[in-house]
Amino acid sequence: MKALIGLAAAAIAGLTAGGITAALPGSPTAPDPAEGKATQVRVTAVVDGDTLRVQDLARRPLGRVRLLGIVH
C-alpha cells in the first residue's frame, strides 16, 4: 500500500512539474493573436452552443469559430 501511495505521489509531482506551468496565467504558450483587430463575418450555422460556422462578407467560408467564455 505504501508503494502505491509513493507511486501516486511521484506521478502527481511529475505531472505538476511538467504540465502546470503552461496553465499559469501570464505564462505565454503561443504568440498573442492580433488584439483589437475586428472582422465582420456572417454566421451561416450554429453547430452547438458555442461553435459557429462563418463566412466573410464576400461569402467565402472561413470555417468554424468557437466562442470562449460562454457560460450555459
Side-chain angles (χ1 to χ4, degrees), residues 8 10 18 27 31 34 41-42 44 62 64-65 68:
S27 62
V41 297
R42 177 176 288 122
T44 59
L62 299 176
R64 292 183 308 192
V65 173
L68 300 178

Side-chain angles (χ1 to χ4, degrees), residues 11-25 27 29:
I12 290 170
L15 290 172
T16 301
I20 201 74
T21 56
L24 291 175
S27 62
T29 57

Side-chain angles (χ1 to χ4, degrees), residues 25-49:
S27 62
T29 57
D32 288 335
E35 292 183 21
K37 181 179 177 185
T39 302
Q40 289 187 349
V41 297
R42 177 176 288 122
V43 175
T44 59
V46 177
V47 178
D48 60 28

Side-chain angles (χ1 to χ4, degrees), residues 2-18:
K2 287 183 180 181
L4 182 59
I5 292 173
L7 180 60
I12 290 170
L15 290 172
T16 301

